[in-house]
Amino acid sequence: MNTDPSSRKQSIAVGYIFAAAMGVLLLQWLFTTYNTVDTIPYSEFEQLVAQDKVTEVSVGQDVIQGKLKDKLPSGKSAFVTARVDMALAEKLEAKGVAVTGVPSGGLLQTILSWVVPMFFFYLIWIFLGRRLADRQGFGGLMSIGKSRAKVYVEKDTKVTFADVAGVEEAKFELQEVVSFLKDPKSYGRLGAHVPKGILLVGPPGTGKTLLARAVAGEAGVAFFSISGSEFVEMFVGVGAARVRDLFEQARKAAPCIIFIDELDALGRSRSPGAFGGYDEKEQTLNQLLAELDGFDPSSGVILLAATNRPEILDPALLRAGRFDRQVLVDRPDKAGRIAILKVHVRKIRVGNDVDLDKVAGLTTGFTGADLANLINEAAIAATRRNAEEVSFSDFTVAIERIVAGIEKKSRVLSKDERRRVAYHEMGHALVASSLTGVDPVQKVSIIPRGIGALGYTMQRPTQDRFLLTITELKNRIAVLMGGRASEQLIFDGDVSTGAADDLQRATEIAIEMVTKYGMDAKVGQRTYAPKPQTFIPAAQDTIVSAAEATGREIDLAVRDLIDAGDVRARQILEKRRADLEAGVELLLANETLTAEQFAPLRSSGAAGDEQAAA
């Protein structure tokens, strides 16, 4: 059951206000109905005084109250009348006009005139002011320090370990948490206790949040889910108060799971040069550290957190006794991708020609989220062509769309540009087919795609690779230089701007070879590159911490690697000039060549070409 404590308290407050207003109206009705005082005109009061029927009188500023010897026709002996001006009353009585005063509203009416408007404006403040404040991120004033965690139970998560695939090691680690929550006594029979905190680390889209929800679904306990950014507010101390409130709620609901997504928003490392400790994020982090030290793991409260930037987390947060265990949720291997694809293809109608093993081979490096998106894109492609089921060709179209981008049908190239692009792309393809250790060519096209790409040569690995040799990296540089080498060969050195992206990628590989992997004999086997991000790729600092002379050697080494790759590519294309011309004519006629159409152009003596080029 998904409950929101703040909205529930707000509804209760509105109910109390409505009940109070109804009570005040009921009292007013009773007071009016059972009032024992009769209101009479002032002229009648004078007549009663003249007839000596009044026993006592209380004269006020606005009204006159009294009692009679005998009862009035209404059956009441007490009366009240409004006090009027005597001179005016005499003039009106002389003309035979009955004089009646208007009494004041009394104490009840005075109170209602103040209370009812206050209730009205309070209701306006609740329904408008609080909603506006919530949209602006401030929250209600009465609940500003309350936790905003959403609470789930087993039937609401609807996710179990059967819905999570490709991360078997992480599932095994978290299965222990489920076992402890279900039966803590037998789990701790040897004195072991479950870790206080478990940190799920891995690239974006690998299923960290899905795993946490699956733990809650398997254990069937309360699941407090909140993002790290929910603790951060503009007011100092609010985040710390929310941390205290969250753990207080969790202790009351034990056994339970607290899941904090994007922990890096809350637990970023504290700057060593900062003065004072009154920053909001630092106060919130300190409170979280204190809560992690304060709760007993045997109480059944387990903290799960997820982040894709563990390198920026505070060391005090990661020490033993707080987050005792870190579980890596990495990109799946081929077997994992097949398992993930099997989970997602249940939702679509798949054709008999779809081989998930082959699809998994073409999606090396894809995360679980990428594979889910691939399935959806393939289904959309099949729907677009009014098919009854999703075929393998739809999967290839989806992979092409994800990797290379959408087709730019509105971008029309001239005849000369199409021919130059064809030579450029065929140069990449022929060099790739002539070298070993490079990804095979899956498709060659001169149809513009994505941002700025006038054509593309798609290479997809068929197996997972974890190590690359210096020869394979040099071959990759040669493949990237194949497009520029083809233009130099055909157009007599009159090259175009089409190789800008190829040069950028070749330069990045060469820089990493020299500064990161120590693959140049002159520069030496030491690293000059800054420490990279763990999971999120970012633009690395190009400033190398080296002496001026060493920096020049690095620049020369990078240039030599790229020049050597260009020379190798030109040598291969000169030997295969006939294949280059035939491939360009075929590409201009079809615009796109698949792996099967490109197969006849592959040199049967690729190994010999490789040896000659070397």
Side-chain angles (χ1 to χ4, degrees):
M1 180 175 58
N2 192 351
T3 59
D4 190 348
S6 61
S7 62
R8 185 172 65 251
K9 291 180 180 179
Q10 179 177 335
S11 302
I12 294 174
V14 173
Y16 283 151
I17 294 172
F18 181 76
M22 292 296 101
V24 171
L25 294 177
L26 179 62
L27 290 175
Q28 183 182 13
W29 178 76
L30 292 174
F31 182 82
T32 304
T33 303
Y34 297 101
N35 193 2
T36 58
V37 180
D38 195 5
T39 303
I40 62 175
Y42 185 78
S43 56
E44 184 179 352
F45 165 68
E46 288 187 336
Q47 294 177 4
L48 292 173
V49 172
Q51 296 173 3
D52 196 20
K53 293 184 178 181
V54 178
T55 59
E56 59 181 50
V57 173
S58 298
V59 181
Q61 184 177 359
D62 298 324
V63 296
I64 299 175
Q65 297 180 354
K67 292 185 179 180
L68 302 175
K69 296 179 180 179
D70 300 324
K71 294 183 179 181
L72 293 170
S74 61
K76 300 176 182 178
S77 60
F79 67 91
V80 64
T81 184
R83 186 175 180 179
V84 299
D85 186 11
M86 296 296 297
L88 180 60
E90 291 176 357
K91 292 179 180 180
L92 293 173
E93 188 177 1
K95 298 294 184 179
V97 178
V99 180
T100 303
V102 179
S104 60
L107 179 61
L108 181 61
Q109 185 173 352
T110 303
I111 294 176
L112 291 178
S113 65
W114 285 92
V115 173
V116 172
M118 290 176 63
F119 280 135
F120 177 73
F121 285 111
Y122 182 69
L123 291 175
I124 293 178
W125 176 71
I126 288 177
F127 288 104
L128 298 181
R130 286 192 176 183
R131 292 186 180 181
L132 180 61
D134 287 337
R135 291 178 181 177
Q136 296 298 326
F138 300 113
L141 293 178
M142 301 303 294
S143 61
I144 193 170
K146 300 296 183 181
S147 171
R148 296 180 179 178
K150 297 179 179 179
V151 184
Y152 301 89
V153 293
E154 181 181 9
K155 64 181 180 181
D156 286 327
T157 58
K158 298 179 181 179
V159 178
T160 63
F161 282 149
D163 301 312
V164 183
V167 284
E168 300 304 320
E169 296 84 1
K171 287 167 61 175
F172 177 78
E173 293 284 342
L174 295 175
Q175 184 63 49
E176 294 183 349
V177 177
V178 176
S179 301
F180 172 79
L181 291 173
K182 287 184 175 180
D183 191 6
K185 291 183 179 180
S186 62
Y187 185 86
R189 67 185 185 279
L190 299 180
H193 62 80
V194 74
K196 284 186 179 181
I198 299 176
L199 182 62
L200 305 177
V201 297
T206 51
K208 298 182 293 296
T209 304
L210 185 65
L211 265 175
R213 295 185 63 193
V215 171
E218 291 284 341
V221 297
F223 181 66
F224 293 82
S225 175
I226 191 169
S227 174
S229 59
E230 293 286 348
F231 295 101
V232 182
E233 290 286 351
M234 66 177 294
F235 302 109
V236 176
V238 173
R242 287 182 178 167
V243 171
R244 288 192 297 269
D245 184 68
L246 174 61
F247 278 86
E248 182 180 352
Q249 293 182 43
R251 290 187 183 95
K252 294 178 181 178
C256 66
I257 297 172
I258 301 175
F259 175 62
I260 302 178
D261 201 4
E262 303 298 339
L263 182 65
D264 49 274
L266 169 64
R268 182 185 292 267
S269 179
R270 292 165 288 188
S271 175
F275 295 97
Y278 298 100
D279 180 73
E280 161 63 11
K281 290 186 179 180
E282 186 169 343
Q283 291 281 346
T284 307
L285 176 57
N286 289 336
Q287 184 62 45
L288 177 61
L289 297 176
E291 293 292 343
L292 285 173
D293 286 335
F295 76 87
D296 182 8
S298 63
S299 63
V301 179
I302 297 176
L303 179 62
L304 290 178
T307 182
N308 47 37
R309 305 176 67 187
E311 66 279 357
I312 69 171
L313 293 179
D314 194 273
L317 192 62
L318 300 178
R319 74 160 176 83
R322 286 170 178 159
F323 280 101
D324 298 317
R325 183 177 298 179
Q326 296 186 21
V327 178
L328 176 62
V329 187
D330 206 351
R331 290 182 174 88
D333 55 12
K334 185 175 180 180
R337 292 194 297 274
I338 294 175
I340 294 173
L341 289 171
K342 288 181 179 179
V343 171
H344 291 294
V345 294
R346 302 171 188 167
K347 306 173 185 177
I348 63 174
R349 186 181 302 170
V350 183
N352 295 326
D353 64 332
V354 176
D355 186 0
L356 295 183
D357 185 88
K358 188 179 295 186
V359 175
L362 295 175
T363 54
T364 302
F366 277 37
T367 64
D370 295 331
L371 294 173
N373 184 41
L374 171 65
I375 298 294
N376 185 60
E377 289 290 346
I380 292 175
T383 304
R384 190 180 295 119
R385 62 184 182 87
N386 296 322
E388 295 295 330
E389 56 188 13
V390 182
S391 65
F392 184 78
S393 62
D394 297 316
F395 280 92
T396 58
V397 170
I399 295 174
E400 191 174 352
R401 181 185 181 91
I402 294 173
V403 174
I406 62 174
E407 291 186 4
K408 296 289 186 179
K409 297 182 179 180
S410 60
R411 186 179 297 170
V412 181
L413 302 179
S414 65
K415 182 178 180 181
D416 293 337
E417 286 180 333
R418 290 180 74 251
R419 191 167 191 85
R420 183 179 286 270
V421 171
Y423 275 110
H424 185 102
E425 300 303 332
M426 189 54 61
H428 286 306
L430 288 178
V431 174
S433 64
S434 302
L435 298 176
T436 60
V438 297
D439 299 331
V441 177
Q442 299 294 332
K443 183 173 290 188
V444 186
S445 176
I446 57 173
I447 299 176
R449 277 184 178 269
I451 302 176
L454 302 180
Y456 62 95
T457 301
M458 181 182 292
Q459 297 174 255
R460 299 301 300 166
T462 56
Q463 60 181 354
D464 298 328
R465 296 293 304 274
F466 304 101
L467 292 175
L468 293 173
T469 65
I470 184 172
T471 302
E472 292 169 341
L473 290 173
K474 288 181 177 180
N475 289 346
R476 292 192 176 193
I477 294 177
V479 172
L480 291 170
M481 299 303 298
R484 170 64 64 88
S486 178
E487 291 187 45
Q488 290 176 337
L489 178 64
I490 300 299
F491 300 102
D492 297 327
D494 186 19
V495 298
S496 68
T497 60
D501 184 64
D502 300 331
L503 293 174
Q504 176 67 32
R505 292 162 59 191
T507 303
E508 291 175 356
I509 294 176
I511 290 176
E512 288 191 343
M513 290 176 65
V514 176
T515 64
K516 185 176 179 180
Y517 303 123
M519 292 181 174
D520 185 82
K522 294 181 180 179
V523 176
Q525 300 186 44
R526 61 151 288 188
T527 178
Y528 296 93
K531 186 177 180 180
Q533 299 285 347
T534 305
F535 296 116
I536 299 182
Q540 299 296 326
D541 189 2
T542 57
I543 300 177
V544 179
S545 58
E548 183 177 353
T550 306
R552 175 170 174 77
E553 290 183 0
I554 292 174
D555 291 338
L556 293 176
V558 170
R559 187 183 67 181
D560 291 343
L561 284 171
I562 297 176
D563 290 343
D566 180 64
V567 171
R568 295 181 68 194
R570 276 187 289 174
Q571 290 176 350
I572 293 173
L573 294 177
E574 286 174 356
K575 291 179 176 294
R576 304 188 60 183
R577 179 70 178 264
D579 290 338
L580 179 62
E581 297 290 350
V584 167
E585 296 301 324
L586 188 63
L587 187 57
L588 290 173
N590 297 281
E591 290 190 334
T592 299
L593 297 180
T594 62
E596 291 76 13
Q597 293 172 319
F598 179 72
L601 296 175
R602 290 174 179 160
S603 173
S604 59
D609 291 342
E610 162 64 14
Q611 184 177 0

